[in-house]
């Protein structure tokens, strides 16, 4: 409330162009801030909401009663209403979330109310004006989003970085049609607003995690209500921010795409990444055997601590030979591959007969030089490809529901086995460029988290 009160006192009343003012929360249908001594009756607040959405034509013809005084309409449209009577004037300005109502006298300029509402609707977000390196990133003040039909507004406490953010910054991975162009595919925070048509499963203040198509690296983001999950009770929101994209990606690859079965062997490339560390734990939860590749001994040690049965340094050894030795020549049933082209031959070397090779990234590119199809055919192997960001809302909601029911309980204290997100490092929003550099240089083990500024 202090932010709204400051808007009224400092950003509006101090201009001396209006006398008194109040802010009405449209979703809550009540006054949420007002200047000292300015009381807006609840019926007047509800009447103003009704006026904007259902009654503009009648107000244009007949005017409006406010606090038992009649005002004639000077002008009315879907965003603002100007009214007058012999004592002075009244202006109401609407945004998607608020109505600002203010009184003024002849000689004052109530148009400043529009400027005040615009200030209320701004937020900070990670931004870049043109594709390029991390140095192009900065924090920008942008318009705050508002929840549409079936959407929830989340006040973001933390987001996490994904390879997709790096690709988008370079201009190589644009957001899906209709998605926010702000970076960030996951977030954790609290419910700050509910759009029309929400089914009631969330309430203001709930601690939540969100799977997003974009927009997470900002102070607020809107989310379809079916893409929200409750944040685990005994985790910080920084820890919770490391869950949605990585864990849902790994869960999707293993269960929706790979159809993992008990006892199967799963080779996980980039085992120390956010998805890799999640996949290790999910493979174990499915009573299967996780095997990983990574680029340093430090990362291999971290994957072993997470539960990997074996790990191999792809920089210094032939992982396909090591995998075949570990599996006594039978190979792996599933490969989770975010590397792509340069790994194709070694992947096929250690893929079992009837194995599934799942490609969900192309860190080394997509070009293959060799007889891939004949090699694949000889093993009756299958190649699956998968991207989560571009999936439709219905698919994501089905995925979130399955994850919430089957996996989320294992994040609770006392669960056996207990799942744990791995947070490598935390960067404040204004250091977003350095966070990108850390990921580009493959410095992280687990997730890099972006913390939003604390606001009141």
């Amino acid at each position: 409330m202090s932010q709204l009160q400051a808007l009224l006192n400092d950003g509006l009343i101090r201009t001396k162009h209006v006398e008194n003012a109040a802010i009405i929360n449209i979703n809550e249908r009540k006054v949420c801030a007002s200047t000292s001594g300015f009381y807006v009756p609840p019926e007047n607040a509800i009447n103003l909401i009704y006026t904007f959405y259902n009654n503009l034509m009648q107000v244009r013809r007949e005017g409006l009663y406010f606090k038992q005084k009649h005002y004639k309409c000077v002008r009315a449209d879907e965003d603002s209403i100007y009214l007058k009577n012999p004592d002075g004037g009244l202006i109401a300005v609407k945004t998607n979330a608020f109505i600002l109502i203010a009184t003024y006298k002849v000689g004052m300029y109530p148009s400043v109310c529009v400027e005040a509402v615009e200030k209320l609707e701004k937020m900070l977000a990670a931004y870049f004006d043109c594709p390029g390196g991390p140095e192009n990133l900065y924090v920008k003040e942008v318009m705050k989003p508002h929840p549409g039909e079936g959407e929830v507004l989340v006040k973001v406490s933390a987001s996490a970085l994904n390879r997709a953010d790096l690709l988008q910054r370079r201009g190589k991975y644009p957001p899906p049609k209709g998605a926010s162009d702000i970076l960030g595919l996951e977030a954790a925070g609290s419910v700050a607003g509910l759009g029309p048509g929400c089914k009631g499963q969330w309430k203001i203040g709930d601690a939540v995690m969100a799977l997003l198509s974009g927009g997470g690296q900002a102070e607020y983001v809107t989310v379809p209500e079916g893409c929200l999950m409750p944040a685990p009770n005994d985790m910080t929101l920084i820890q919770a921010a490391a869950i949605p994209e990585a864990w849902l990606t790994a869960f999707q690859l293993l269960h929706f795409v790979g159809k993992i079965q008990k006892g199967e062997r799963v080779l996980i490339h980039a085992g120390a990444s956010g998805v890799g560390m999640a996949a290790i734990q999910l493979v174990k939860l499915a009573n299967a055997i996780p095997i990983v590749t990574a680029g340093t001994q430090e990362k291999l040690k971290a994957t072993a601590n997470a539960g990997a049965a074996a790990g191999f340094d792809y920089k210094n050894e032939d992982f396909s030979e090591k995998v075949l030795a570990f599996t006594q020549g039978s190979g792996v049933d599933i490969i989770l591959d975010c590397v792509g082209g340069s790994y194709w031959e070694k992947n096929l070397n250690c893929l079992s007969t009837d194995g599934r090779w799942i490609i969900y990234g192309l860190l080394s590119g997509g070009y293959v030089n060799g007889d891939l199809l004949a090699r694949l055919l000889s093993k009756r192997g299958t190649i699956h490809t998968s991207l989560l960001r571009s999936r439709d809302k219905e698919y994501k909601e089905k995925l979130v529901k399955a994850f919430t029911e089957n996996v989320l309980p294992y994040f609770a204290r006392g669960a056996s086995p207990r799942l744990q997100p791995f947070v490598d490092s935390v960067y404040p929003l204004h250091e977003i460029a350095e966070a990108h550099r850390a990921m580009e240089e493959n410095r992280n083990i687990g997730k890099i988290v972006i913390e939003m500024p604390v606001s009141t």
Side-chain angles (χ1 to χ4, degrees), residues 163 167 170 172 337-343 357-368 383-387:
R163 291 282 172 183
L167 290 171
R170 295 180 201 140
K172 296 181 178 180
D337 181 15
C338 59
V339 178
S342 66
Y343 275 14
W357 174 12
I358 304 171
I359 301 171
Y360 69 101
L362 297 171
L363 290 175
S364 73
Y367 293 98
V368 171
I383 295 179
H384 302 264
T385 61
S386 182
L387 291 173

Side-chain angles (χ1 to χ4, degrees), residues 272 292-303 311-317 441-445:
V292 304
T293 65
T296 68
Q297 289 303 310
E298 182 187 11
K299 290 184 176 183
L300 288 173
K301 182 178 179 181
T303 62
F312 307 113
D313 181 349
Y314 69 86
K315 291 182 179 178
N316 297 307
E317 53 192 350
E441 294 168 9
N442 293 319
R443 285 188 249 154
N444 58 300
I445 297 175

